[in-house]
Amino acid sequence: MITNDTALAVTALASGKLCAIPTETVYGLAANALDESAVARVFAAKERPADHPLIVHVASAQDANEWITELPKWAVELSAAVWPGPLTLVGPRTDLASDSVTGGQDTVAVRVPSHPIAQELLSQLKVAGIKGLVAPSANRFGHVSPTSAQHVAADLGAYLSANGDLILDGGDCEVGLESTIVLATGSAPVILRPGAITEADIERITGIKISTTATATPRVSGSLDSHYSPSAKVVLIEDETTAVFEPKSGFLALAMIQTPGELVRLGSPATIEDFAHDLYGCLRAGDDLGLEKIYVVPPVGEGLVQAINDRLQRAAF
Ligand code: TXA
Ligand code: MG
């Protein structure tokens, strides 16, 4: 069921099967975006509520035009600068985007992933006449997103093998956190989900100050308070030198912070990038060890730190 064969994945997706695919952010559970029954099975596999919209993945910014009717100038500039890369734009939908993809909204989310295997897959599918793949993160709904093929198998392996679906193994995801989602329907960018493309990146590229409050309030499943959660209880620690810890719990912090007492060290990322890259794997490792609690010292700062802390707060909720 886990394969390295991109051609096999192309055939599977073109014939209505699902395939978990590597991207630079996290693994996605992909289906042909124009195949209603395959899209329905994505919701079934994840046990995801039907009103939560999906992201359409395409090979290039030009292909995004088939799904979004029109983007403001700033969004065109942003996509030109970042795509392929960890950015999702939400814009007014064309007739290609069905209600099952958009959750009945009049907007659609589109992204051009940069992972070389995702790029190759999308290009080959285009030749086969497939215009885009829906791909939500390939985890059980509400669980931590997968950053390796093994994570996908742990969450969805039983469903996928029972249905003849595939997991395409492209190694560890480089970023490790889901894409930045930007609402691109107004005169200024609105960040719906922080990610590796930061507020500062977007302001620099577009020359526009970010308006932080969403004028419309689209449904973003990642914005549910409890999301991205392992089974273990995640506890955020401000000061590890004064905090009281339950023994035999997990501990995750930057490498420069020492492990207090008898805690089980789950990760020692040296940099902020490593923290993002390792985070979900460390939370999953805590569950694999059967730990009841995982203490995390959140990194401090701007940029990617905001995305890390957004996910940590939801995991800890
Ligand atoms: O990095 C990523 O974006 C990964 C990889 C696989 O591409 N995908 C991902 O998908 O994180 P998912 O389904 O787990 O999260 C997609 C988010 C959800 O929070 C959803 O509500 C939001 O995108 N979304 C989709 N369509 C939207 C729309 N029309 N308006 C607002 N939010 C939308
Ligand atoms: Mg998700």
Side-chain angles (χ1 to χ4, degrees), residues 21-29 33 54-68 71 78-79 82-91 101 108-119 122-123 131-138 145-147 173-182 193 195-197 311:
I21 62 166
T23 83
E24 69 280 17
T25 57
V26 300
Y27 274 73
L29 181 61
L54 304 171
I55 298 175
V56 177
H57 296 62
V58 295
S60 70
Q62 199 184 335
D63 298 330
N65 293 327
E66 297 215 50
W67 295 89
I68 295 179
L71 286 172
L78 183 61
S79 64
V82 176
W83 278 346
L87 169 76
T88 296
L89 290 180
V90 174
V101 171
V108 63
V110 180
R111 148 165 150 75
V112 181
S114 65
H115 193 295
I117 293 178
Q119 272 290 320
L122 287 165
S123 306
K131 291 179 181 291
L133 296 176
V134 290
S137 53
S145 293
T147 56
C173 301
E174 193 184 330
V175 176
L177 297 180
E178 304 80 358
S179 61
T180 307
I181 303 182
V182 175
R193 180 176 71 185
I197 303 302
R311 305 311 191 276

Side-chain angles (χ1 to χ4, degrees), residues 48 50-53 99 102-105 107 192 216-223:
R48 177 176 169 120
D51 62 348
H52 284 268
D99 283 343
T102 67
Q105 302 186 71
T107 53
L192 299 178
T217 348
R219 289 181 292 264
V220 183
S221 75
S223 73

Side-chain angles (χ1 to χ4, degrees), residues 18 29 40-42 44-46 155-165:
L18 311 187
L29 181 61
R41 284 213 302 118
V42 168
K46 284 188 54 112
D155 270 26
L156 305 179
Y159 179 95
L160 298 179
S161 42
N163 289 280
D165 302 315

Side-chain angles (χ1 to χ4, degrees), residues 262-282:
E262 301 284 285
L263 301 184
V264 181
R265 187 93 193 199
L266 294 173
S268 301
T271 64
I272 295 301
E273 284 72 23
D274 288 348
F275 204 120
H277 177 273
D278 298 351
L279 174 60
Y280 289 152
C282 291

Side-chain angles (χ1 to χ4, degrees), residues 138-310:
N139 52 280
R140 224 176 350 93
F141 183 70
H143 198 211
V144 180
S145 293
T147 56
S148 72
Q150 289 68 35
H151 293 169
V152 178
D155 270 26
L156 305 179
Y159 179 95
L160 298 179
S161 42
N163 289 280
D165 302 315
L166 294 177
I167 299 174
L168 182 58
D169 191 350
D172 267 10
C173 301
E174 193 184 330
V175 176
L177 297 180
E178 304 80 358
S179 61
T180 307
I181 303 182
V182 175
L183 182 64
T185 53
S187 57
V190 177
I191 297 181
L192 299 178
R193 180 176 71 185
I197 303 302
T198 65
E199 200 172 292
D201 292 332
I202 297 168
E203 289 186 344
R204 179 175 40 78
I205 293 163
T206 64
I208 301 174
K209 188 101 187 87
I210 300 274
S211 77
T212 38
T213 42
T215 44
T217 348
R219 289 181 292 264
V220 183
S221 75
S223 73
L224 292 177
D225 284 331
S226 174
H227 210 71
Y228 310 109
S229 301
S231 305
K233 183 166 174 44
V234 175
V235 181
L236 305 183
I237 298 297
E238 265 181 38
D239 184 351
E240 73 286 356
T241 60
T242 56
V244 179
F245 298 100
E246 283 176 29
K248 303 216 175 99
S249 303
F251 185 73
L252 169 62
L254 283 166
M256 61 188 178
I257 298 174
Q258 289 195 348
T259 314
E262 301 284 285
L263 301 184
V264 181
R265 187 93 193 199
L266 294 173
S268 301
T271 64
I272 295 301
E273 284 72 23
D274 288 348
F275 204 120
H277 177 273
D278 298 351
L279 174 60
Y280 289 152
C282 291
L283 296 180
R284 282 175 179 267
D287 278 352
D288 292 344
L289 292 169
L291 302 178
E292 279 175 24
K293 277 200 174 144
I294 300 174
Y295 296 99
V296 183
V297 183
V300 177
E302 294 294 309
L304 185 57
V305 167
Q306 287 186 337
I308 293 170
N309 287 336
D310 170 76

